[in-house]
Amino acid sequence: MPTRRTLLAAGAAATAAAATTLVSERAAAATAARPDTGVSAYAFPLTAVQLLSSPFTANTGRTQSYLLFLDNDRMLHTFRLNVGLSSSATACGGWESPTTELRGHSTGHLLSALAQAYASSGNTAFKTKGDAMVTVLAQCQSRAATAGYNTGYLSAFPESFIDRVEARQSVWAPYYTLHKIMAGLLDMHLLAGNAQALTVLTGMASWVKFRNDRLTQTQRQNMLDTEFGGMNEVLTNLYQLTGDANHLAAAQQFDHAEIFDPLASNVDSLNNYHANTQIPKIVGAIREYHATGTTRYRDIAVNFWDIVTKHHTYAIGGNSNGEYFKAPDRIASELSDSTAECCNVYNMLKLTRQLFLTNPSRADYMDYYEKAVYNQTLASQDPNSTHGFQCYYVPLRAGGIKTYSNDYNSFVCCHGTGMESNTKYGDSIYFHDGGSTLYVNLFIPSVLTWSARGVTIRQDTTFPDAGATKLTVTGSGAFTVKVRIPAWATGAALKVNGVAQAAPQPGTYATINRTWASGDVVDLTLPMALTREATNDNSTVQAVKVGPIVLGGLFGTSNLSALPVLDPATLTATSTPLQYTANGVTLQPFYKVHGQRYSVYWSVTGGQTLPAFVAHYPFDNSATDASGNGKTATLVNAAYTTGRTGSAVNLNGSNGYVSLPAGILNGATNFSIALWVRITTVVAWSRVFDFGTGTGVNMFLTPRSSTGTARFAITTGGSGGEQRIEAPAALPAGAWTHVAVTRSGNVGILYVNGAEVARNSAMTLSPSSLGNTTQNWLGRSQYADPYLTGAIDSVRLYSRALTASEVSGFYSAGN
Ligand SMILES: [Zn+2]
């Protein structure tokens, strides 16, 4: 890992990360010395969730076989040598070699992974193996004084490394490594019931406080410039378990002001900071909030998550280039072979999970979780290795290829977090509120045993191959099920025992209150649209997605020197789920792309690449485009009049209309057109708008069709080929009326005055189907229909679907 060593040589605070998991909720659930403050959702223990066959269980199986394969004596070799015990084991290589300053970290990860594997599988071989390691670690710790160390010290390297970090001398990341060991011990205690592990851990915690009590606050803060993993997290988790105030005090000695202070003010100062050095500190912050109720800790964590996920995150959910955060919104300009370190996403998922517990009403937390767990975590283990070898980075430059760890000669940080990630997939599918509400967050086949309610919930799904899932209840009782409706799932539908429920709103939780009986079934349909995600810094650089699943283009052995070009119009579905072709290139889910070169990002051409907000016409005595995109409109035989706000275009009903630039929505698969209209007299077949190239190819909204109601239609085959959204009534006369048409995936929705009035869930046509439209008119038809009589105001065009709340917001705001 020359990159890592280069960073060290440069004097940077180097390394990676990791830590353990969900210890907190386990502690609260199992021993509950101190309940968490400020949470309104709780995890189920891993023991309550049985995973059914899926890509996740395939990953888990490989990692579990690796855990059983590893030789304890090799993993304990340097620990024994460090306290003068003999060891004849073969030394490990890579980052666990006897001369590597990070040695011992993998043993900590292994303890966490063994504890999780035991809790989720019940296979005692994992516990037996972990117990044996704890026994030796306790023996090593008991020899601290003999070896010349302070009481409680336990490591595979000498305590002089701590002297060096305190003295600001060159050393890799000693507290980072100790954090892994401490977290592993806590997991062995909480998940595998090992009492000795807690004794060893509290000894280490006392030693940590002893070391840091000797320092001034300034010395401690200076020391925190060296990567220390999640020391504040594991010590806070220990405090929640023991209630010993010394453990919280020790945790807070690792509150890094240089990082926390700007985040508390919601300032993004992350540029040029080693990414995975920072993320665990923030996982610690949210746990310190849960332990203390001090809202500043919560604000630091919430602000960090918002900053990182919105301004530093690639389409696959990962962050960092060359391990570092870059300036905000640099994405397309930061594509390399060392992007998206896997530890980072491991820690971001831990943080996301804690934030969900803090505020489970925010569905975007678990939307991000889904994005990252499929597109990076699942994607970064080699399916061709029976031991689950793991990526360090996930290259995102065009022509990148995944490379992996090995049995004994790698032991990079991400190899360690990979062992953990792949042994806890059951930990974030379901949550509860401590009472009678169940959250269903992920669509992973599994069986939940909810012992507090005496029921089991079985989830059957082939997601993401198909956009649907089924929940079957066994047992009975009154409780509430809240199912996450992902923001991408426009057109989602929900049935209980075959009876359709109110249309669930994407980006929220659908709530089902009922008294359940054995055999009750919930069916959720989640339409997975083919979409593209543009980078923040270059709208033409885009990733292709189906629902939340990022597709990778397969390039075999071809190394690419530039982003491949993609014309979205050429994307063609194949008979294999989620697999497409475009210009001879096959695209498939990125999590399935291994063993060949690929591209996640494309230079998108074909027509034009549209900004999300295409054009905005306030018509305030001007036809200019207020979006800044320069799409100036032209008034033809029309003038301005009093508008809904400001002025509006007045249309005379005989020859007046507004012409918008050619191809204004060309290439858009999703779109929205929202506007205000005041119709003087409602005349059948007049047009609010009509975009097209003539009577064969167009899309239009008429206030009244021959059936007497408003209609949106889109066609590439004349009136006989129209796909329609039929409103229940004509648009009204004489009153300002807000109308909006949106399309996302195959779902078209018509809104009138801020509320949905009709939809068509089989609308396969989109503006991109129409080609380069040259007659884009407001108030005029492609046919020889009557012109509109009235006024039009505040016209907005988007290359995305507005949400229902955005549409109602425009209606409420009157603009
Ligand atoms: Zn790593």
Side-chain angles (χ1 to χ4, degrees):
M1 300 300 136
T3 303
R4 179 53 59 86
R5 304 308 299 186
T6 305
L7 295 175
L8 278 173
T15 305
T20 317
T21 146
L22 42 141
V23 185
S24 47
E25 311 85 45
R26 289 292 148 56
T31 32
R34 291 180 42 80
D36 284 354
T37 301
V39 295
S40 39
Y42 303 88
F44 287 98
L46 279 172
T47 52
V49 180
Q50 177 198 354
L51 295 176
L52 305 175
S53 180
S54 74
F56 295 99
T57 52
N59 272 36
T60 296
R62 290 184 282 265
T63 296
Q64 287 185 350
S65 70
Y66 178 62
L67 300 181
L68 295 175
F69 159 84
L70 277 173
D71 180 350
N72 272 15
D73 286 330
R74 293 189 70 175
M75 301 307 292
L76 292 163
H77 177 67
T78 49
F79 285 87
R80 285 179 162 130
L81 296 184
N82 198 44
V83 291
L85 289 172
S86 66
S87 171
S88 58
T90 304
C92 298
W95 290 15
E96 287 297 337
S97 84
T99 56
T100 299
E101 290 181 350
L102 216 63
R103 60 188 179 270
H105 70 111
S106 303
T107 304
H109 289 298
L110 178 57
L111 287 174
S112 291
L114 287 167
Q116 291 173 172
Y118 168 64
S120 54
S121 74
N123 181 348
T124 54
F126 298 114
K127 173 174 163 56
T128 301
K129 185 159 187 162
D131 286 347
M133 298 193 77
V134 171
T135 299
V136 176
L137 291 173
Q139 186 186 7
C140 292
Q141 187 186 40
S142 72
R143 289 178 57 85
T146 310
Y149 306 140
N150 287 299
T151 301
Y153 183 69
L154 169 64
S155 180
F157 49 72
E159 193 175 353
S160 59
F161 282 28
I162 301 296
D163 299 336
R164 284 158 60 187
V165 77
E166 289 174 359
R168 309 309 303 135
Q169 295 167 349
S170 173
V171 66
W172 194 335
Y175 273 116
Y176 167 91
T177 304
L178 297 186
H179 163 239
K180 309 309 164 216
I181 299 163
M182 294 173 74
L185 290 166
L186 187 56
D187 287 339
M188 278 302 298
H189 176 68
L190 291 174
L191 306 182
N194 185 308
Q196 188 178 31
L198 181 60
T199 304
V200 177
L201 173 58
T202 52
M204 291 182 77
S206 298
W207 169 86
V208 171
K209 187 158 189 299
F210 157 76
R211 289 290 312 201
N212 288 302
D213 281 348
R214 307 192 309 181
L215 306 177
T216 66
Q217 175 70 1
T218 300
Q219 286 173 315
R220 283 195 295 265
Q221 287 295 314
N222 288 339
M223 184 183 76
L224 298 185
D225 287 342
T226 299
E227 183 174 16
F228 58 84
M231 284 298 294
N232 54 341
E233 183 212 0
V234 70
L235 287 162
T236 301
N237 289 340
L238 180 60
Y239 169 61
Q240 291 301 85
L241 175 64
T242 63
D244 181 345
N246 287 312
H247 296 150
L248 177 64
Q252 292 176 319
Q253 288 173 332
F254 289 88
D255 289 351
H256 194 189
E258 181 180 321
I259 301 303
F260 281 13
D261 289 352
L263 289 170
S265 306
N266 202 17
V267 171
D268 182 351
S269 300
L270 298 176
N271 186 25
N272 283 329
Y273 275 98
H274 184 259
N276 199 46
T277 294
Q278 316 314 325
I279 307 169
K281 299 172 187 175
I282 312 304
V283 181
I286 191 64
R287 293 298 299 139
E288 288 171 289
Y289 168 62
H290 293 158
T292 65
T294 302
T295 54
R296 183 173 188 270
Y297 285 125
R298 180 199 61 198
D299 296 344
I300 287 166
V302 169
N303 294 341
F304 178 85
W305 189 92
D306 287 340
I307 287 168
V308 170
T309 59
K310 291 178 175 61
H311 301 289
H312 297 272
T313 296
Y314 297 104
I316 62 169
N319 59 61
S320 77
N321 187 11
E323 305 198 5
Y324 279 72
F325 285 126
K326 301 297 181 178
D329 298 314
R330 285 181 61 89
I331 302 293
S333 46
E334 299 289 347
L335 302 178
S336 78
D337 280 331
S338 57
T339 40
E341 182 186 347
C342 288
C343 290
N344 302 24
V345 93
Y346 160 91
N347 278 308
M348 282 302 295
L349 291 180
K350 283 183 64 169
L351 175 62
T352 300
R353 195 165 174 278
Q354 293 296 328
L355 291 172
F356 168 77
L357 302 179
T358 311
N359 183 3
S361 67
R362 264 186 76 169
D364 60 336
Y365 285 136
M366 282 295 157
D367 281 355
Y368 169 79
Y369 200 102
E370 175 182 72
K371 165 185 187 156
V373 82
Y374 281 94
N375 298 311
Q376 180 155 1
T377 308
L378 189 62
S380 58
Q381 189 200 72
D382 181 7
N384 299 311
S385 135
T386 56
H387 285 170
F389 297 149
Q390 171 70 38
C391 294
Y392 186 160
Y393 306 116
V394 177
L396 289 172
R397 79 161 172 93
I401 187 167
K402 297 173 185 175
T403 59
Y404 312 96
S405 58
N406 52 47
D407 278 334
Y408 278 111
N409 291 305
S410 165
F411 289 118
V412 292
C413 48
C414 300
H415 181 80
T417 47
M419 286 192 268
E420 295 193 33
S421 293
N422 286 292
T423 48
K424 60 168 180 169
Y425 285 121
D427 81 350
S428 295
I429 305 172
Y430 308 100
F431 295 86
H432 62 89
D433 74 343
S436 59
T437 296
L438 173 72
Y439 290 91
V440 179
N441 270 332
L442 297 175
F443 311 117
I444 296 176
S446 52
V447 179
L448 168 71
T449 302
W450 190 7
S451 53
R453 310 299 303 184
V455 298
T456 63
I457 311 289
R458 181 186 172 98
Q459 182 172 187
D460 290 292
T461 178
T462 59
F463 182 84
D465 282 353
T469 194
K470 180 171 85 169
L471 306 173
T472 306
V473 176
T474 302
S476 60
F479 58 89
T480 300
V481 175
K482 284 181 172 288
V483 185
R484 183 178 61 94
I485 308 298
W488 51 261
T490 302
L494 190 61
K495 290 181 179 176
V496 177
N497 294 335
V499 178
Q501 309 293 297
Q505 189 63 43
T508 69
Y509 284 85
T511 302
I512 311 166
N513 287 306
R514 71 187 264 120
T515 300
W516 301 84
S518 255
D520 280 355
V521 172
V522 175
D523 281 296
L524 178 63
T525 307
L526 300 163
M528 296 171 69
L530 180 67
T531 61
R532 300 189 305 280
E533 178 178 319
T535 57
N536 296 357
D537 51 344
N538 186 337
S539 63
T540 68
V541 176
Q542 302 178 358
V544 179
K545 301 162 69 170
V546 181
I549 304 300
V550 172
L551 302 185
L554 306 181
F555 287 91
T557 57
S558 301
N559 202 345
L560 306 177
S561 57
L563 286 175
V565 172
L566 177 75
D567 178 352
T570 66
L571 275 168
T572 306
T574 71
S575 58
T576 303
L578 307 181
Q579 184 167 307
Y580 288 75
T581 59
N583 296 332
V585 177
T586 299
L587 294 87
Q588 68 178 35
F590 184 59
Y591 71 78
K592 294 182 176 176
V593 177
H594 293 274
Q596 64 174 306
R597 296 189 181 276
Y598 57 79
S599 193
V600 164
Y601 285 101
W602 308 81
S603 178
V604 171
T605 63
Q608 59 187 337
T609 300
L610 295 173
F613 192 5
V614 173
H616 178 204
Y617 303 104
F619 289 131
D620 289 338
N621 294 313
S622 163
T624 56
D625 170 12
S627 75
N629 294 323
K631 303 288 186 188
T632 306
T634 306
L635 272 56
V636 182
N637 304 319
Y640 296 102
T641 185
T642 303
R644 177 65 182 78
T645 51
S647 57
V649 175
N650 190 48
L651 300 173
N652 59 20
S654 56
N655 63 353
Y657 65 99
V658 178
S659 177
L660 307 184
I664 191 161
L665 285 173
N666 188 10
T669 51
N670 298 331
F671 78 98
S672 302
I673 300 175
L675 55 81
W676 284 94
V677 62
R678 179 177 48 74
I679 305 172
T680 308
T681 308
V682 178
V683 178
W685 294 123
S686 61
R687 294 291 200 265
V688 177
F689 63 80
D690 192 335
F691 293 8
T693 54
T695 57
V697 175
N698 55 67
M699 63 178 197
F700 67 83
L701 176 67
T702 181
R704 194 169 79 199
S705 75
S706 55
T707 60
T709 65
R711 171 188 293 170
F712 170 82
I714 182 167
T715 183
T716 56
S719 59
E722 287 179 357
Q723 298 179 355
R724 297 169 178 165
I725 310 174
E726 301 277 16
L731 296 182
W736 278 109
T737 304
H738 189 260
V739 294
V741 178
T742 68
R743 178 184 188 265
S744 177
N746 292 339
V747 180
I749 302 178
L750 175 62
Y751 298 87
V752 175
N753 287 335
E756 176 178 335
V757 296
R759 68 168 57 199
N760 177 348
S761 297
M763 215 168 78
T764 58
L765 295 174
S766 69
S768 69
S769 314
L770 307 183
N772 188 36
T773 59
T774 52
Q775 301 180 150
N776 305 317
W777 294 329
L778 305 176
R780 180 181 174 184
S781 170
Q782 310 289 334
Y783 291 79
D785 291 317
Y787 285 67
L788 192 78
T789 309
I792 290 180
D793 200 359
S794 301
V795 177
R796 296 164 185 270
L797 277 64
Y798 297 82
S799 64
R800 66 178 180 89
L802 292 168
T803 65
S805 62
E806 286 175 312
V807 173
S808 68
F810 289 138
Y811 170 67
S812 303
N815 68 10

